[in-house]
Amino acid sequence: MANVIIIGTQWGDEGKGKIVDLLTRYADYVVRFQGGNNAGHTLVVDGKKYIFHLIPSGILYDNKKCMIGNGVVIDPEILLGEMAELDATGLPVTPNRLTISENAHLIMPYHKLLDGASEQSKEDGAKIGTTGRGIGPCYGDKILRTGIKAGDILDEALFREKLRENVEEKNFLLTEKYQAAPIKFDDILREFLGYAEQLAPFIGNVSVELDEARKAGKHILFEGAQGTQLDIDHGTYPFVTSSNTIAGNACTGTGFGPAHIDAVIGILKAYTTRVGSGPFPSELFDETGDALQKKGGEFGATTGRKRRCGWLDTVVARDAVRLNGITGLAITKLDVLSNQGNLKIATSYEADGKRYHAMPGNIRTVERLTPCYEDIAGWQEDISRVRSIEELPVAARDYVKRVEDLTETPASVLSVGPARDETLLLRNPFE
Ligand code: IMP
């Protein structure tokens, strides 16, 4: 029995999807614990392309149970759309395959409108560059205690009451603050009562189910979304997402006790990327940055936006190791670094004559950071066919070793290409 958390160590898009897919093989349960359909990953299985935003990709295996924990925010239209798409490919999502926490909050139509309106109203430098999926406003209502939970739509009287209060408040904001058109109570009520009927068989108590699974000796995989530097508390605030993306939230976001976690795998892309706005100390604005963007196919899975690219930053990686209690790294996209000349790794920062070994909290300081780099030899060879550490060119092995030393964390997985088999599993966290 082992319970493993997978999280992103950087600004998201580290290639978690592939590693989750790899480790799902050893798990019985796969659980999302935060974020919503701002996340997204693409998997190609037997020549068929699947894009997941909410349902764990474990749904592709017929013997795995998938769960959406209380820490996730759910857009029912997107969730039902994903279920319908799976159904159409001959993979029906039945209640014995998926449980949705009754305590997960719902993204309502007004959350999406407010996300867009709030972004539009900001000056260019202040825009967060959100995915526009209503994530921030939905978590905002959760914290303000005015949110609507998945379980609430099963109780029509309760749902009507909560919806009425929200529509009144949101219409004030939409019309008075943002000069936008109002929303209609009846339209949302009708739409959501329809969703309630379809979702009712899936809504349950994720915490109880996970506890039973744990006692029965099952393996549980907790699948994080986004990355550590997008964490609402520990990231580059306010240029972050609205949830805790770090490993601690695997427990609060599902109702699972921390003492039962056995391993935390941190996904670390061999270089750094970021989508949306916000500081990024090791960002490259030259041809090397362009080359990484092109070779790495760095486009956001959810919005299709070009990702900003830069050198690996081990200040960020060390922050992630500390904040998440990472026990092993999965270093992804190592193949993209082949044939890029000599490489650099950021090992600390400087601003205003002061040296930083962790990301400072003050956003103005973060914006002024310049990275201090260490040069490291590159390699020319294509490494996508390498399947053991010994087959790697010496320079690539040295690069991995340097990352392990700088982060004081061993590599558990190396990924050298997008396909399932382009992977070196050095230490299996489930064993
Ligand atoms: P939100 O999560 O849509 O509110 O967006 C807030 C910030 O998080 C923006 O910079 C987004 O680009 C970023 N973000 C949200 N989800 C992801 C993700 O899955 N990968 C990378 N960045 C993300």
Side-chain angles (χ1 to χ4, degrees):
M1 188 263 294
N3 304 313
V4 177
I5 302 172
I6 291 186
I7 49 89
T9 61
Q10 297 154 312
W11 279 278
D13 307 317
E14 297 91 353
K16 287 183 291 292
K18 178 183 155 171
I19 307 300
V20 166
D21 175 54
L22 173 82
L23 294 180
T24 291
R25 270 182 251 175
Y26 308 98
D28 303 298
Y29 286 71
V30 189
V31 194
R32 273 285 301 270
F33 56 88
Q34 49 73 228
N37 60 309
N38 47 350
H41 55 253
T42 308
L43 279 183
V44 180
V45 181
D46 299 332
K48 169 113 189 62
K49 190 166 156 183
Y50 298 89
I51 301 181
F52 293 95
H53 294 289
L54 272 169
I55 302 179
S57 55
I59 204 78
L60 296 177
Y61 294 81
D62 56 14
N63 57 345
K64 318 280 176 199
K65 175 92 198 234
C66 294
M67 301 207 162
I68 297 181
N70 55 280
V72 176
V73 286
I74 301 171
D75 183 332
E77 190 186 350
I78 300 292
L79 177 61
L80 287 164
E82 259 177 37
M83 289 160 86
E85 251 178 63
L86 285 162
D87 209 6
T89 61
L91 291 165
V93 182
T94 48
N96 63 331
R97 301 293 324 284
L98 176 73
T99 302
I100 301 164
S101 167
E102 59 189 342
N103 289 330
H105 280 246
L106 296 181
I107 298 178
M108 306 298 292
Y110 45 79
H111 290 138
K112 291 182 262 190
L113 293 172
L114 288 169
D115 195 356
S118 155
E119 278 284 275
Q120 240 176 17
S121 71
K122 289 190 170 95
E123 301 281 321
D124 267 2
K127 287 191 201 300
I128 309 292
T130 72
T131 60
R133 304 297 195 258
I135 306 294
C138 181
Y139 277 116
D141 278 356
K142 171 176 170 171
I143 300 302
L144 285 170
R145 296 162 293 200
T146 55
I148 297 175
K149 304 198 288 181
D152 295 344
I153 57 172
L154 307 183
D155 178 340
E156 191 178 327
L158 175 65
F159 178 52
R160 276 175 180 271
E161 195 183 307
K162 287 186 147 195
L163 182 64
R164 198 167 295 285
E165 282 165 19
N166 271 291
V167 166
E168 198 176 308
E169 193 218 0
K170 270 49 179 197
N171 273 341
F172 178 77
L173 277 175
L174 284 168
T175 58
E176 299 295 319
K177 184 166 184 207
Y178 297 117
Q179 282 76 51
I183 42 158
K184 293 198 181 77
F185 173 86
D186 286 337
D187 292 352
I188 304 179
L189 181 72
R190 198 174 326 111
E191 181 185 343
F192 275 69
L193 290 180
Y195 295 149
E197 208 170 296
Q198 295 176 75
L199 292 177
F202 297 91
I203 296 175
N205 191 324
V206 162
S207 173
V208 166
E209 234 185 282
L210 283 180
D211 198 46
E212 282 164 2
R214 178 188 66 80
K215 287 179 185 151
K218 303 288 185 194
H219 296 280
I220 305 171
L221 179 62
F222 295 88
E223 173 184 345
Q226 291 89 44
T228 300
Q229 289 296 337
L230 288 172
D231 184 275
I232 187 76
D233 285 288
H234 301 283
T236 46
Y237 188 92
F239 301 98
V240 292
T241 191
S242 296
S243 62
N244 283 112
T245 57
I246 61 171
N249 201 15
C251 296
T252 43
T254 60
F256 193 76
H260 304 306
I261 300 295
D262 300 287
V264 181
I265 299 297
I267 316 296
L268 180 74
K269 186 152 33 181
Y271 50 99
T272 313
T273 62
R274 171 163 206 174
V275 277
S277 16
F280 174 2
S282 67
E283 183 167 10
L284 288 165
F285 300 95
D286 58 7
E287 59 278 12
T288 308
D290 289 345
L292 292 173
Q293 196 276 327
K294 285 202 187 76
K295 191 166 176 199
E298 296 293 352
F299 293 94
T302 298
T303 57
R305 291 179 289 182
K306 243 187 194 182
R307 295 177 186 146
R308 302 152 62 192
C309 296
W311 294 121
L312 180 67
D313 180 342
T314 55
V315 182
V316 161
R318 280 196 308 269
D319 271 359
V321 167
R322 183 187 69 253
L323 290 163
N324 296 289
I326 292 171
T327 54
L329 292 170
I331 303 177
T332 59
K333 294 191 137 179
L334 196 58
D335 55 303
V336 176
L337 289 185
S338 289
N339 212 10
Q340 300 284 358
N342 282 330
L343 309 172
K344 287 181 191 291
I345 297 179
T347 53
S348 64
Y349 308 132
E350 252 173 28
D352 313 318
K354 199 174 156 196
R355 190 63 86 107
Y356 291 88
H357 297 277
M359 189 69 81
N362 182 310
I363 192 67
R364 295 286 169 256
T365 309
V366 176
E367 283 163 350
R368 284 197 298 275
L369 295 172
T370 51
C372 306
Y373 287 115
E374 188 174 292
D375 292 311
I376 184 156
W379 60 94
Q380 312 313 312
E381 300 88 334
D382 171 12
I383 56 170
S384 57
R385 283 186 193 80
V386 165
R387 294 293 175 271
S388 73
I389 195 113
E390 295 74 28
E391 292 169 54
L392 277 177
V394 173
R397 237 182 293 165
D398 287 349
Y399 189 84
V400 171
K401 176 77 174 59
R402 192 67 191 127
V403 174
E404 292 182 316
D405 288 348
L406 287 165
T407 57
E408 300 175 72
T409 310
S412 296
V413 182
L414 301 180
S415 171
V416 293
R420 268 184 179 170
D421 68 327
E422 288 170 331
T423 316
L424 286 66
L425 182 55
L426 309 175
R427 296 173 186 84
N428 184 345
F430 281 105
E431 275 166 5

